[in-house]
Every structure is written in structure tokens, then in C-alpha cells.
Amino acid sequence: MSMAEQISSRRNTILLAGTAFSAAALSATGDLIFNVFAEPTARVMSIGATFAAGSLVAYQVVKARQEESVRVVASDRTRRHQLDRVEPLVGRESLLGGLLTLLRDVPAPTRGSLPVGVTESQAKIVVVHGAAGVGKTTLALNAAHRVKDSYPDGQLYVNLQGDGHTPKTSSEALEHLLLSLDVARGDLPADVDGRTALLRSLTNDQRLLIVLDNAHHTEQVRPLLPVGAGCSVLITSRKPLSGVALREALPVSLPDESEALDVLAHYAGRERITSDPVVALQITRFCGRLPLALRIVGSKLAQRPDLSLSRMRARLEDEKLRLRELVFEDDSLHACLMLTYRDLEETTRAAFGLIATLPVGRLSDWHFEHVGTARGAFATCDELIEVSLMEAQGNEEAGTSYRVHDLVRVFAAEQYELQPPEERRQHEVRLVKAYREAAVSLASQRAPELGAEVSAERINDLRRESAAGWVSAEQERLRWAIGRARSLDMYPEAAEIGEALSYFLDDINLPAGSADWLFDATPTETRPRVIASLRRARASAAVAEGAPDTALTLLDLDEPDDSADPVGRARDEMVVARGYAAKRDFRVALDHMTTAAEQLRTSDDAWHLLNSLEKLGEFQRWRGSPELAEQSQREALRLAEHTGDLRAQARLRRTLAETLGYLRRPEEAAPLLESAIHDFRVLNDRRWEGAGLYALGKIYRLLGRRQDARERYDRAEEIFGPMGERHWVGRVTNARIRVLAGMGRLDEATATARTALSLFEQVGDEMWQAHTQRDIGWLHIKAGQSEAAVEPLTQAIQVTERAGDAYAGSMARHLRGVAYRELGRYPEAHADLEAALDIYRSGSYEWNEAAVTHDVIRVLRAEGRTAEADSLEETSAASNPIFIRMRGRDGAEAVPDED
């Protein structure tokens, strides 16, 4: 029976009952009246009673109709207004605003003929999609509540259970919708097509909002869509459901940190969060800013006043136990993710799980191509992206990369561990071999002999990659591959990955003490090339860790070895040279690097030749031959440009610019450094970017741009400080001394010098202690305290002379000569100034030579040797144009380097 038939039946029953009651009442009343009163009076009273009874019946009928109408309206309102209460939406104002704009724009129903299909539909279809727990339903229901007045004919809600064990069928969902629209159950069409047609017919002339929550797939949703212009459908799903809506789906991403804190505060209590905002922020990060995780943690905190934020943070720190903490009452992140994970293809689950166990980092198609999936990388990635377990980032120019939420990664890694051991082994063997192939093929760009170890196809496949960039990005996973290879008894592969990694030591950051393990040659390794490369890698790491004697012991070049590979021996010479440089013995370092460069010129080893020339230039500069240094570094830069290695080019432009600074050609140096810093940013190489900013600050200082120099030093420290690079922080601090003094801020410069000296004492760098002592001595001279300047300058001279750093030693001697002059100790002043002049005249140091000569002339005039002073001034002006530009210079007043 239809709803109208039910109402009519109830009304008729009431009327019949009322009529019967009235008749009986009238009969009884009439008998009573005629028995008591005379006939005329009785007739009048009988008519009045009849009228009263009729009125009573009429009243009963009207009242029954009103009550029934109220019941019908109330029932209709319940059926057609189905939006449940919803959690308040915290943050997401931008997303909500865009959704409200779409949904409030409701055109009038056309009431015309129905469109043929969904593609011609006039209804507004909006898909809100995103990862599990990101807040799609909360967003959608909040929006629906705010726009419900725009849909007076009703707001219907259906949970399609796409995130449940058994998603609702289209037929079941249509049954719910049609019953809500007053269709009697007996009038429901049996098939989906019939139900869809009836839905579209009934809603064509209505302003109706339908919320389809947790949609599973496109086929489930398509039959549920009305086509009338006054209807809107708001769909939530973990998939974008392409093809359902004519407009692009609305993605729901993670809230930012501020919004995440607001979500946590909403559930835990704002006072609780504001009491310790730093710990609260750490909790949001452990939750990956995922709203579901924040709601669970916040609810736990609200339930447990005794549970401090610090204790909650501690319970979340171990990522292996984190998912166990993210459960509260009916909410479970693990269960939520499992409902999506179980629907993945088996090969996708295996590939995703293995990748999830790797150290965190950038993911690309390469990773999915080599984890053993038979379906192919693109199919695997597409499936993971479609269900919002992974996000695609980047563009065609920069290349596509993928991001996996930390909590999803932890979940996938846990599921991977549940797979059979043999299956895991097969996937891991394949990935280890892929890392071996990639590392060796990229290393062959630097060590040509490795080209024979991999196929030409593999080498060409990776040519498009920056070798240093790829290895730097994958360094933690390469270390994982070495360890995993050993666990899988793949010792040759482990050694070969280590050998390949050894050619990128300047591009990666090795954990302290890890080299002996990474570059260990097992007793079963017998290949001479591999053994020599691994030994050289351990020696290089020892130099980097401040243990040059260990490196020199590993590479004992004094023992003759006629069978040694000449190229390998040249590479050993390079490491030995760096070892002696670390010991501050630049004379021996220069000899070894010169030998290495000469041997490498006769080989087909461009990479090591350019590296030897780069270092050779540095040693030549330190030994007082900057013009030779420029030649070596320009040759190295040409080789780097020929190889196309952007990182090497940027590094060499920085090194060459420093040499040009020594040669007092800052105008040429500045653009080289600015270009290098740009490239380091492109390469995301923060350490070298900081080194470039430090060098550019020095060049700007030489150009008199002191404020620009200070800004570059500040930016360099902002990079090095968080990295824990105390040595570089010390160098940057030292560089500020002359800038501050040049600005007349001597007290601040002196305090800065003390800070720099303390930093170098902490890291044990004797050479930079000497450089800072030299600057402290200069500050004493500038403050008129020449007696106090002698001791720190003497210490600087002793250290630099032991190291063979002729240039640094000459600078210290020049300043001590000025101090002796101010003290009237003229013979000692002459001795220091002449010693400095000898070094400067042996190289292309015209600026330094001119500066020292001015101070020699001042000593001569102070001694009353005017004729000698005039003669020296005349010959210097004729031979060195820079001397004329410095007329009147006084070493006790001038800022070194800035004239």
C-alpha cells in the first residue's frame, strides 16, 4: 500500500467511527429529552443536541486530519533530511570555502525532459578524494550542513562503505535513496537500470543534495547520480573517480603544522597544548599531521589527564610501535589502512612493502622498476596513487617523484615482514643487484675501467642522471644494499657497491666510523682492483675524519710495487697528498699532488685528473704561486665542463674564484661564485652552497661591500649551524672579524675573534687557530696596542711556517713587522717585512707586495733614512701600478685586503 493510500485509509476509519458515535449519542439524547420535556420544547432541544453532535464529529475529523498531516510531514522531514551530526571542522578554511562556493550555486530545476545520460547531466557532481584518515567525510558533511538551506527538497546521505569489508552495491544504495523519496517498497524496480531511471525522474524538478560517502569505485557511483539542474551530489572517496564528475576532483591534502596543532588542541584541550607547544608540535610530526591520528592521540590525552605530552611523545617515538598507539575506541589507523591495502594486487603489495623498508628518501620510477613486480612500474605506481597510499610530485621537466606518508610507510613495512621469507629474499636479491648495476655504471663515469663490469645498455640508461646527484640522494639506500647483500651472502655485489661508492666520497656524508664497515674487503675477495679501491676509500675517509696518519699507513707508497696499476697508484698519490695537507705539511702535499697530476695526464681518467688539478691549484696558492693555481684550476674547470658534471663545475668555479681573490681580481671572482651558488641550490647541495656563500662574502668584502658580505656570512651560518659543521661556523665567524673592524666596530670584532678562536680550539684545528691569532694581533695594532699584538702574531707565524703555508705566514710577518715599527724596534720590523716581501715577489702577489713596501718605506723614514725611502718609493711606483693607488697606506690603520 502506498503512503497516500495509508493516509486515506486512516482518515476513513476515523470518519466512520465518528459517525457511529454521533448516531448513538443522538439516539440516546433524543429519548431522554422527549421523556422529560413537553413536545415543543423537546423538539427545539433535540435540534440543538443534533447540531452539537455534528459539530463534535466535524471537530474530530479536522483534528484527526491535522494530526495525521503533522505525522506525515514529520516522517517526510526525517526521510529527506538525513545529515547526521558531524565533528567540527578544524582549519581547512580554504578547502571548505571552495566547496561551499560550488555547492551554493544551485540553478532552478529545468522541469524539462531528462538528459539522455550522465555526460549530458545538468546536476552538479563534486568528488572529494584523499588518503585514509585525512578528513574527507568531516569536510564534506560540514559543507553539506552549511548549504542545506539551498536544497529545500532534501539532503540525502548514503554511506557506500567503500572503506569497509563489504561495499554497498549500487542497487542497495538506490533502494535507500528511493525509499527516502517516498517510493513504496513494493513500487521499487527490480533492476539497477530501472531504479536509476526512477531516481532521475523523481529528482528532475527538485533542489536536492545527495552525499555519497566512502565511495569504492566509479561503477558503484555512476547509477546513483541524478541529472536535474537543481541537484548536487557530494562524493567522498580515496580515489579521484575520474569520469564521474565533469569538473576536476577536489583533493584533500594534509593540514599544515598550525592546522595540525589546532586539530590536536580540539580533542586534547587547548590549555593542554599551549602548556608545551614544542612537544605538541613534535607529536603532530610523529602523527604525520594526519587528522585521524591527531584525533586518536588527542582523545587519548583528553581521557588521561595524567598522561603528559612528553610521555605521549615518548610512546610515539619508536616508529615500529607507533601504529599500536594510534588506536582509540572504534578508531584505528591500522584497520583504516588495512581496508585499502587488502584490495591491492599481490605484486603491488610486495613492491610497496619492500620500498617501505628502505631508508626514507625520494622515490622514482627507477625504484618500482627494480623491486620485482611483473606488472611493471607504471601499473604499480598508478594503483598506489589511485587509492591515495602514495602521491606523485614534480613535473615533466624535473621528473616525477613519489611521496609516501610516514605512517603509511610504517604500515606497509609491517605488512611486508609478514610475507614468506623466500618471497622477500627474491625481491631483495633483485633490488640489491639493481643497486649494484646502477652504482657501478654511474661510477664508470669517474673510473673508466668499471665500464667493463656493466652492460652498455645499463650505462646509457643512467647517463641522463647526474652521477653525483643520484648517488648523493641514494647514499643511505646504497649503504642498506651493502648490508643486505652481505646478509644474503652476496659478498661480491657488496664489495662492488662499496667500490663504486668510493668514487663519490666528496659527494656524500659518511657517518663517523662507518668507512671500515662499508669498505671492508671480505677474506673471500681476491680481485686486486676491488681490494685497492676499498683500501683507498678507507684512507680517504680517515683523512676526512681527521686521522691522516691512518690514511698514510694504509697507503704506504714507500714500498715498491712493480705490479701496481699506474692509474691506481696515481689515485693513491692524490689521497696521500690530501693526508699531508691535513697534517699541514703543504710542501710534501704539493709534491705528491704534482706527481699524481703528471701520471694522470697520460691516462684516460679525466675525472681524477680534474680533481688532482683542483687540489694542486689549492696547494700552489697556499705555497705562494697563485698564478700557477689559476692555471691548474682553469684546466680542471674545462675538463669538468667537458664531462658535463654540474656539481664538479660549480665546485671548481668556487675554487677558482677564491684564487682570483688572492690575485686581487674580485670583479672576476664574484660572478663565478654567484653562478656556483645557484648551481649548488639546483643540486640541493646545502654544504657546498654554504661554502660558496662564505667565499662570496670574502669577495664582497674585497669589493668594499661590507653589508653584502655580512648577509652572505649570515646565510652561510644558517646552513652550517643546523648541520653541526662547527669548523665551518668557525670560519664564517672568523670572516666577520675584518668586516666589523672595517665598519669601525672594534670591540665587536674583538669579541667575534675570541669566539672564533674558541671554536677552532674545540675542533682542534691548529691552522685556523693561527689565522685567528693573526687577526687578533691585527686588532691590537689597530687599537694602538702593538705590544699586545706581538705574541699572537708570533704564534701564527710559527704554526704557518711548520705547515708550509707561505701566504698565511707572510701575512702574519707583515703585521708583526708593522707592530715592531710602531714599537720602534726597527731591525726586527725590517726582518719581518723583508721576509714577507720575498714570498710575495716569488708569486703574483702585486697587491700584497705594494702594501708591504709602503710599510717598509715608513720604517725607513722613521729611522731617518729618507733617501732610501724616496728611492724605494720611486722604483716601486714605476714597477707596480698598484703601489701608486695605495699612496699613503699605513699598515697600522688599513684593513688587510680591502685597499
Side-chain angles (χ1 to χ4, degrees):
M1 183 181 293
S2 71
M3 181 62 68
E5 291 171 335
Q6 293 176 37
I7 294 172
S8 177
S9 174
R10 291 174 185 173
R11 184 171 64 246
N12 292 339
T13 301
I14 292 169
L15 287 172
L16 287 171
T19 302
F21 171 79
S22 299
L26 182 61
S27 175
T29 304
D31 291 342
L32 179 63
I33 290 173
F34 279 99
N35 287 333
V36 175
F37 297 100
E39 183 175 347
T41 304
R43 288 183 184 277
V44 172
M45 293 185 68
S46 177
I47 292 170
T50 302
F51 178 78
S55 298
L56 178 61
V57 170
Y59 169 75
Q60 290 172 336
V61 170
V62 170
K63 185 173 183 298
R65 287 179 176 178
Q66 289 176 338
E67 290 175 350
E68 187 63 30
S69 177
V70 168
R71 284 194 295 271
V72 171
V73 170
S75 175
D76 181 63
R77 183 179 295 113
T78 300
R79 289 196 306 275
R80 290 203 171 200
H81 301 273
Q82 301 174 349
L83 299 179
D84 291 334
R85 290 181 58 207
V86 65
E87 290 282 349
L89 187 68
V90 182
R92 307 304 185 94
E93 292 303 322
S94 177
L95 272 175
L96 180 62
L99 203 50
L100 294 177
T101 300
L102 282 172
L103 295 175
R104 279 176 175 151
D105 180 21
V106 188
T110 57
R111 295 183 173 85
S113 59
L114 288 175
V116 175
V118 175
T119 54
E120 294 82 28
S121 170
Q122 299 176 47
K124 186 175 296 179
I125 314 296
V126 181
V127 178
V128 174
H129 74 98
V134 81
K136 303 179 294 297
T137 298
T138 301
L139 173 65
L141 286 177
N142 271 274
H145 273 283
R146 295 199 193 189
V147 301
K148 62 185 179 183
D149 290 342
S150 300
Y151 299 91
D153 292 317
Q155 308 91 41
L156 307 183
Y157 173 86
V158 185
N159 185 352
L160 296 177
Q161 300 173 2
D163 58 354
H165 291 284
T166 307
K168 196 181 289 280
T169 66
S170 301
S171 181
E172 292 169 338
L174 282 165
E175 177 180 328
H176 172 86
L177 292 172
L178 290 171
L179 291 175
S180 301
L181 293 171
D182 298 333
V183 177
R185 188 173 297 278
D187 294 337
L188 290 174
D191 63 315
V192 170
D193 289 344
R195 291 183 177 188
T196 298
L198 181 56
L199 173 69
R200 291 172 182 171
S201 176
L202 291 174
T203 59
N204 190 44
D205 61 350
Q206 296 188 352
R207 279 193 172 96
L208 188 71
L209 174 64
I210 301 176
V211 179
L212 302 177
D213 198 15
N214 294 316
H216 188 54
H217 49 66
T218 300
E219 290 71 21
Q220 179 194 36
V221 170
R222 199 184 299 276
L224 313 181
L225 304 179
V227 292
C231 295
S232 294
V233 184
L234 182 54
I235 307 170
T236 71
S237 177
R238 296 182 185 181
K239 305 175 184 178
L241 302 181
S242 56
V244 168
L246 298 180
R247 60 176 47 83
E248 188 174 345
L250 179 68
V252 181
S253 55
L254 293 170
D256 60 29
E257 285 191 340
S258 176
E259 291 175 329
L261 277 172
D262 286 341
V263 174
L264 184 62
H266 172 75
Y267 291 100
R270 187 157 298 279
E271 289 185 3
R272 193 88 170 272
I273 300 308
T274 55
S275 67
D276 198 343
V278 174
V279 175
L281 184 60
Q282 292 170 339
I283 288 174
T284 66
R285 290 172 180 167
F286 283 136
C287 291
R289 308 199 312 275
L290 190 69
L292 175 58
L294 294 168
R295 185 173 77 199
I296 291 171
V297 171
S299 299
K300 281 188 170 185
L301 288 168
Q303 187 188 57
R304 291 276 308 277
D306 62 303
L307 183 59
S308 69
L309 292 180
S310 296
R311 285 175 59 200
M312 190 72 247
R313 176 191 60 189
R315 289 165 63 164
L316 293 168
E317 279 179 339
D318 187 345
E319 69 172 28
K320 293 182 179 179
L321 303 176
R322 197 170 299 160
L323 287 175
R324 299 179 190 177
E325 285 294 332
L326 296 177
V327 178
F328 182 77
E329 295 182 349
D330 293 336
D331 286 331
S332 166
L333 182 59
H334 184 280
C336 186
L337 292 171
M338 180 59 77
L339 293 170
T340 300
Y341 186 79
R342 69 177 187 200
D343 289 336
L344 296 176
E345 293 284 344
E346 184 176 346
T347 54
T348 299
R349 290 200 298 267
F352 190 44
L354 175 53
I355 284 176
T357 65
L358 297 177
V360 178
R362 178 181 179 270
L363 293 173
S364 67
D365 291 329
W366 183 91
H367 298 92
F368 287 94
E369 288 170 2
H370 295 94
V371 289
T373 169
R375 300 175 63 219
F378 295 123
T380 299
C381 292
D382 288 347
E383 185 179 6
L384 292 169
I385 291 169
E386 184 184 20
V387 297
S388 298
L389 287 176
M390 187 169 75
E391 294 178 8
Q393 299 173 321
N395 51 52
E396 186 175 350
E397 181 179 348
T400 301
S401 62
Y402 304 105
R403 179 187 177 277
V404 178
H405 191 281
D406 278 348
L407 294 175
V408 175
R409 175 182 54 79
V410 171
F411 170 82
E414 287 183 0
Q415 298 307 305
Y416 178 75
E417 295 301 324
L418 300 177
Q419 292 189 10
E422 189 53 40
E423 290 184 18
R424 296 203 309 269
R425 177 184 176 84
Q426 290 175 5
H427 296 309
E428 291 163 10
V429 166
R430 179 185 172 103
L431 186 55
V432 166
K433 288 182 177 179
Y435 269 114
R436 180 263 175 201
E437 288 280 309
V440 173
S441 62
L442 291 172
S444 70
Q445 299 177 27
R446 299 185 171 188
E449 68 274 13
L450 295 183
E453 303 297 325
V454 288
S455 67
E457 178 184 355
R458 177 64 64 191
I459 293 175
N460 293 331
D461 181 52
L462 287 166
R463 284 294 184 191
R464 65 181 183 274
E465 296 278 357
S466 162
W470 192 90
V471 172
S472 177
E474 293 293 320
Q475 55 183 296
E476 288 191 43
R477 292 168 179 159
L478 286 165
R479 294 199 288 269
W480 170 89
I482 291 173
R484 200 75 200 118
R486 291 173 181 166
S487 298
L488 295 168
D489 295 330
M490 301 171 67
Y491 293 106
E493 287 84 354
E496 288 164 350
I497 296 172
E499 179 188 17
L501 197 59
S502 74
Y503 294 106
F504 296 92
L505 294 181
D506 288 335
D507 303 299
I508 63 177
N509 298 310
L510 288 182
S514 65
D516 287 344
W517 180 84
L518 280 173
F519 305 116
D520 178 39
T522 63
T524 58
E525 183 57 66
T526 59
R527 292 168 290 180
R529 186 203 74 235
V530 175
I531 293 172
S533 297
L534 294 174
R535 182 175 60 244
R536 190 181 309 121
R538 295 198 300 277
S540 295
V543 172
E545 292 180 8
D549 289 329
T550 300
L552 297 177
T553 300
L554 284 167
L555 302 176
D556 187 358
L557 298 178
D558 293 333
E559 294 184 8
D561 185 359
D562 297 333
S563 64
D565 169 29
V567 173
R569 189 169 182 84
R571 294 172 185 173
D572 287 349
E573 290 274 9
M574 292 174 62
V575 179
V576 168
R578 295 174 72 167
Y580 279 109
K583 289 168 65 70
R584 304 304 178 187
D585 191 342
F586 296 116
R587 297 183 188 88
V588 179
L590 179 60
D591 291 341
H592 280 286
M593 197 60 76
T594 301
T595 300
E598 289 173 351
Q599 291 177 347
L600 290 167
R601 285 184 192 280
T602 63
S603 69
D604 181 26
D605 191 353
W607 172 257
H608 286 91
L609 176 58
L610 75 84
N611 275 274
S612 69
L613 290 169
E614 177 186 2
K615 282 297 178 184
L616 179 62
E618 288 187 18
F619 298 160
Q620 288 168 331
R621 186 179 70 209
W622 295 339
R623 290 292 296 149
S625 301
E627 72 289 351
L628 294 178
E630 180 186 3
Q631 293 175 19
S632 297
Q633 288 163 353
R634 287 195 183 279
E635 183 182 356
L637 181 56
R638 286 193 294 272
L639 286 168
E641 290 169 344
H642 179 71
T643 63
D645 191 311
L646 183 62
R647 191 183 300 270
Q649 293 174 52
R651 195 178 68 239
L652 281 158
R653 283 197 295 274
R654 176 196 171 278
T655 304
L656 176 59
E658 283 196 319
T659 298
L660 293 173
Y662 276 79
L663 291 168
R664 296 303 179 274
R665 289 151 59 187
E667 297 84 357
E668 296 178 54
L672 285 172
L673 280 167
E674 288 161 355
S675 172
I677 291 168
H678 171 270
D679 288 345
F680 288 135
R681 286 181 185 142
V682 170
L683 294 164
N684 195 30
D685 191 329
R686 296 284 285 166
R687 189 174 188 278
W688 276 102
E689 180 188 346
L693 287 165
Y694 162 79
L696 184 59
K698 293 174 68 176
I699 294 301
Y700 281 161
R701 181 173 62 79
L702 294 181
L703 292 169
R705 297 166 56 180
R706 293 191 181 105
Q707 189 56 42
D708 287 337
R710 290 189 69 192
E711 290 176 2
R712 297 314 180 278
Y713 292 147
D714 289 345
R715 285 164 56 186
E717 185 170 353
E718 288 168 7
I719 291 174
F720 290 129
M723 294 172 66
E725 292 274 5
R726 290 192 299 162
H727 180 269
W728 270 108
V729 171
R731 292 178 67 173
V732 171
T733 305
N734 172 275
R736 291 190 177 105
I737 298 170
R738 297 188 191 183
V739 175
L740 292 168
M743 298 169 76
R745 297 157 65 173
L746 286 183
D747 289 343
E748 194 173 343
T750 300
T752 300
R754 297 297 179 193
T755 300
L757 186 61
S758 175
L759 283 167
F760 292 128
E761 288 171 347
Q762 291 172 29
V763 299
D765 192 320
E766 187 182 40
M767 182 62 74
W768 272 98
Q769 290 178 53
H771 295 333
T772 307
Q773 291 281 23
R774 177 198 64 210
D775 289 333
I776 290 172
W778 167 65
L779 290 172
H780 282 311
I781 295 172
K782 198 165 179 62
Q785 303 165 354
S786 296
E787 187 68 46
V790 173
E791 181 180 352
L793 288 169
T794 300
Q795 291 179 21
I797 291 168
Q798 292 171 348
V799 172
T800 53
E801 286 187 347
R802 282 201 306 270
D805 190 337
Y807 180 84
S810 298
M811 290 180 66
R813 281 194 176 277
H814 177 189
L815 290 169
R816 192 174 69 173
V818 172
Y820 282 148
R821 184 197 70 199
E822 295 298 296
L823 293 170
R825 296 163 62 175
Y826 300 128
E828 293 163 293
H830 276 298
D832 274 342
L833 294 173
E834 291 296 336
L837 273 176
D838 287 343
I839 294 297
Y840 292 144
R841 285 168 178 162
S842 67
S844 297
Y845 292 114
E846 288 85 357
W847 185 94
N848 304 78
E849 181 184 347
V852 177
T853 302
H854 274 290
D855 286 316
V856 172
I857 291 170
R858 286 183 177 276
V859 176
L860 291 171
R861 294 195 188 285
E863 292 178 301
R865 298 158 62 180
T866 305
E868 291 179 62
D870 290 342
S871 175
L872 179 58
E873 188 170 19
E874 183 178 348
T875 56
S876 297
S879 62
N880 189 347
I882 298 175
F883 178 85
I884 300 173
R885 297 202 300 269
M886 287 185 179
R887 192 176 299 280
R889 184 186 194 279
D890 183 353
E893 298 294 333
V895 178
D897 301 340
E898 287 192 16
D899 299 64

